[in-house]
Amino acid sequence: MIATVLGLIAELPPGAVDSHEHIWIDPVNGADPARTFILNDKGGIVRDLDLFSRAGGAAVIDCQPPHAGRNLER
């Protein structure tokens, strides 16, 4: 089974898989905002994922490490 943000699935639908992405990055406590990546524009992220899907994308694997802005709720 594959764990997804929408629940468990048995297999991926046909299409391209982006196997290394950083979809959402929150500000990190104690980090200098001028020297870190912050990626939390929900509207922009949703638009990009929608474009990827419409272009034949089947899945995106988020590779943001713990304690580096990863937000599993987003």
Side-chain angles (χ1 to χ4, degrees):
M1 298 301 290
I2 302 167
T4 78
V5 296
L6 301 175
L8 294 175
I9 59 174
E11 60 186 48
L12 290 174
V17 175
D18 181 342
S19 63
H20 186 121
E21 192 56 72
H22 302 275
I23 299 169
W24 186 280
I25 305 173
D26 276 338
V28 177
N29 290 335
D32 178 358
R35 298 178 54 100
T36 61
F37 291 104
I38 299 172
L39 183 60
N40 61 1
D41 172 12
K42 183 178 180 180
I45 294 166
V46 169
R47 280 189 300 279
D48 287 350
L49 291 172
D50 182 56
L51 288 170
F52 177 71
S53 176
R54 286 196 269 154
V60 178
I61 299 170
D62 186 77
C63 294
Q64 190 63 18
H67 312 294
R70 181 170 71 183
N71 184 333
L72 298 177
E73 298 299 316
R74 294 300 190 161

